[in-house]
Amino acid sequence: MSDPLHITLAGNPNSGKTTLFNHLTGARQHVGNYPGVTVDKKEGFFTHKNNKIRIIDLPGTYSLTAYSVEELVARDYLVNEQPDVVVDIVDASNLERNLYLTCQFLELGVPLVIALNMVDVAEKRGISINTEKLSKLLGVPVIPIVARTGQGVDALFDTVLAVSRESEHPPTLLRYGSDIDQALSEVVPLIEQNNLLTSTYPARWTGLKILENDEQILDKAMLADSTLAQQLLNRSETLTHHLQSTVDAYPEAVIADHRYGFIKSILRQGVVTRTFDVDRLYTSDKIDKVVTNRVLGPLIMAAILFGLYSFTFTYSTFLVDWLSSFFEIISSSVDTMLPDGPIKSMIISGVIDGVGGVLGFVPIIMFMFFGIAVLEDSGYLARVAFMMDRIFHFFGLHGSSVMPFIVSGGIAGGCAVPGVMATRTLRSPKERMATLLTVPFMNCGAKLPVLTLIIGAFFSSHQARYMFLATVAAWLVALLTAKFLRMTVLKGESTPFVMELPPYRFPTVRGLLIHTWERTWQYIKKAGTVILGISILLWAMMTYPGLPADKTAEFDTMRQEVAACQSADNSVELLKIDGLEAEAGLQNSIAGRIGIALELVSRYAGFDWRTNIALVGGFAAKEVIVSTLGTAYSLGEVDPEKTTSLTDRLAKDPHWNPVVALAVLAFIMFYAPCFVTVIAIANEAGSWKWAFFSMGFNTLFALCMSVAIYQIGTLLGLG
Amino acid sequence: MQTGQSGTISSINIGGNLGLRLREMGLVPSTEITVTGHAPLHDPIKLRNNDQTLPLRNNEADHVELTAATIGGKR
């Protein structure tokens, strides 16, 4: 059988591209990444009239410049992969802006079919579009469709098949005004004669991009033929000077204006008829009046975000509980089936606890992303960004950073893993990086039991106040750190806040389910592989090399002595010995030795080796701090939910006092994120460099904070 | 710019990324726009052009020059 036909979907954000893609492929789709960047690459297969079709959903863009990753990905894909047909989804109710991208496909000369989407919405508003005329004027087929219902999709793919059989797709020649046309007519022959990049790009397109001062094309041209490139660059500079002095504009601006001129001239030739004019934004405007109102807006937003939380954490609990009892059953059956020994210990504490820990997040991620998908697909998320941009922009972030912060624990009790994953909706690379590096400072659900434990032990009279302060401190630190990062390692201009506030829409159930599943599966797949390894490693660090034989023998003798004396409550005594043995074992383990070695530094913050080990263990998951502290204080495993014994123990321990407690609190809130988050950061940032940066930077920062707290506190004699 | 103000764009006097972004959203000379509102903290503002709602930070909107600006339909 021949290769499947290769079709690409392209178009503006919110044009219905994804709806059409979901309609065509259903569940038979696959989400990957474009090489080297974190832009979703969606691929699917379907058949149309016995023709197998492979379809790629390109990222939604408004243009094809070199300024954003999405746009570079889209145009690189079109020129390098050379799809058989490009289907350009155009929103019929916003023809002008959508055709701007179409213009650039025409310039590039790709085999194009226009799918005029949402014609039903346009008709309801009394707008009818003469598709034949539009098609004639643009020189490409235009097929009206309704992606939501699938109306017109058959006809669309009949046309796609027909276009795929044509061999020639010459680029359309647009006019850009006399100055630019003149420059092009000089530049293009040079490019053609020297075959500059002509194997990849049409000569006129390369010329246009050089005049537009497009960095990617200039770099490529320099690499291919630096003398010619320099010559072209000189011509481009002359043009720039000329345009600057005559019309006070850059060439790329003049070119853009002429593209719009071309579109307007087409639309003016009777393509659009308005029989009656109903404002399509009438309902959206009414909703916005309330939802983005000065007073009501923030209140409604707070209510909705709080609702997202309650929804996620209330309804995912039963699944979380179900999963954890499922893993307990497996643990206990392994416990009875296997003989005692290192293998059993590894399977239970390394493999099952590790995998269980990863899968434990799945229900939360699923519910959280379902909620976010509802907010996103309905158009509300864009309003949140709109309302919050003033504050976040001040800290070098973007209005769209709100969601990741909230999800990670902006309201105490979130989770940084979905928070980091939620940064993907941010389209500005630097703001996005700053967001994903700072969201782990928020108080996630796993830090809460630890904070509760320590606050309970030392500040029990002001518990609520301290918890509230912890939330405020987390926000402050995260935002200030973001500002700091944006002024140092992530320095750069802020990305313009130019995005459409889409009209409100009812999300489709199918779309929501596909979005949710995509995210969840991505998490399971990527996290699952690495986490198993790290989890086993952490287990080994806390277990090996174990106690030397003579020590173990000592504890055994102690046990026998207790067993020998026939007192009534020797079971308590035996448990105590088990606890002491576990403590000694932990102290002697690699983690224990690290903990002791770390005292060199940590004593400046007032931490002893027991706290250090717990903090090392907390890298696996923050709630592990509680159970490790339990072992380190020879109380055996401590259930994070029932910590009274540990609270008492800490409150009475001579090493601890309120100043130490405060220093430990600060450290726990701000040190390295748990490794599941670290892996999520590596995935989202596209490199491990940032994941390591986050571990190192956060730990150093936390250390400085707690040393400062401990030293100042001790100096003031508060200890 | 104030809510209710409307007019025709005479020029967009900025180049680079921001200039292109403004243009690709349809903010080109001879386009009619109306300021329809602003965020609770007064920044960004909301514009209406070509049947779409476009938020713009105040310092970004500064580059959009209007002619024949009217407020609330009155000169």
Side-chain angles (χ1 to χ4, degrees), chain A residues 63 97 125 280 389 499, chain B residues 21 24 51-53 55 57:
Chain A
S63 185
R97 194 200 66 212
R125 294 172 40 219
R280 83 160 168 152
D389 184 68
M499 54 186 238
Chain B
R21 295 287 167 236
E24 73 189 22
D51 281 357
Q52 69 181 357
T53 308
R57 290 185 185 133

Side-chain angles (χ1 to χ4, degrees), chain A residues 318-334 352-353 355-357 359-360:
Chain A
F318 83 95
L319 273 174
V320 173
D321 290 348
W322 186 82
L323 271 173
S324 69
S325 51
F326 173 74
F327 281 103
E328 264 164 39
I329 291 170
I330 297 187
S331 270
S332 60
S333 51
V334 169
I352 297 176
D353 284 359
V355 174
L359 291 183

Side-chain angles (χ1 to χ4, degrees), chain A residues 62-63 65 67-68 71 93-94 96-97 100 125 250 252-253 256-257 260 264 274 279-281 285 288 292-294 298 386-387 389-391 393 397-398 494-501, chain B residues 12-32 36-46 48-60:
Chain A
Y62 296 114
S63 185
T65 66
Y67 283 115
S68 87
E71 294 177 32
S93 41
N94 194 343
E96 217 170 296
R97 194 200 66 212
Y100 184 75
R125 294 172 40 219
Y250 290 92
E252 65 261 35
D257 290 350
Y260 264 104
K264 282 184 173 158
R274 289 173 189 253
D279 188 351
R280 83 160 168 152
L281 300 172
D285 277 351
D288 268 344
T292 64
N293 178 279
R294 278 199 74 172
F386 170 67
M387 285 190 278
D389 184 68
R390 184 72 194 82
I391 297 170
H393 185 219
L397 300 169
H398 187 275
S494 61
T495 314
F497 192 81
V498 187
M499 54 186 238
E500 191 193 0
L501 285 188
Chain B
I12 304 284
N13 45 30
I14 184 153
N17 189 8
L18 179 58
L20 278 183
R21 295 287 167 236
L22 294 176
R23 286 178 171 88
E24 73 189 22
M25 299 306 286
L27 297 179
V28 291
S30 84
T31 305
E32 281 192 36
T36 57
H38 49 73
L41 295 170
H42 279 278
D43 187 14
I45 57 165
K46 260 192 306 186
R48 165 69 40 84
N49 75 311
N50 308 346
D51 281 357
Q52 69 181 357
T53 308
L54 205 64
L56 223 54
R57 290 185 185 133
N58 286 346
N59 59 357
E60 294 163 358

Side-chain angles (χ1 to χ4, degrees), chain A residues 698-711:
Chain A
N698 292 15
T699 307
L700 199 68
F701 174 77
L703 188 68
C704 294
M705 287 278 280
S706 33
V707 168
I709 291 172
Y710 180 71
Q711 296 298 340

Side-chain angles (χ1 to χ4, degrees), chain A residues 42 45 91 123 236 313 337 351 508 528 566 591 669 711:
Chain A
K42 293 189 190 172
F45 290 91
D91 178 356
E123 255 160 39
S236 164
F313 291 98
M337 268 165 18
V351 179
T508 62
Q566 299 274 329
M669 278 168 64
Q711 296 298 340

Side-chain angles (χ1 to χ4, degrees), chain A residues 294-343:
Chain A
R294 278 199 74 172
V295 184
L296 284 176
L299 289 177
I300 293 172
M301 180 169 65
I304 287 180
L305 294 178
F306 191 76
L308 173 73
Y309 253 85
S310 329
F311 166 75
T312 305
F313 291 98
T314 314
Y315 293 99
S316 65
T317 324
F318 83 95
L319 273 174
V320 173
D321 290 348
W322 186 82
L323 271 173
S324 69
S325 51
F326 173 74
F327 281 103
E328 264 164 39
I329 291 170
I330 297 187
S331 270
S332 60
S333 51
V334 169
D335 197 21
T336 46
M337 268 165 18
L338 289 179
D340 281 346
I343 299 218

Side-chain angles (χ1 to χ4, degrees), chain A residues 352-416:
Chain A
I352 297 176
D353 284 359
V355 174
V358 174
L359 291 183
F361 281 115
V362 168
I364 297 176
I365 290 184
M366 243 167 63
F367 278 76
M368 193 69 100
F369 276 107
F370 184 82
I372 295 178
V374 172
L375 296 185
E376 190 169 11
D377 291 5
S378 65
Y380 185 69
L381 206 54
R383 270 77 185 178
V384 175
F386 170 67
M387 285 190 278
M388 297 300 283
D389 184 68
R390 184 72 194 82
I391 297 170
F392 279 74
H393 185 219
F394 179 79
F395 292 102
L397 300 169
H398 187 275
S400 307
S401 309
V402 175
M403 220 47 198
F405 273 99
I406 299 281
V407 169
S408 303
I411 306 169
C415 175

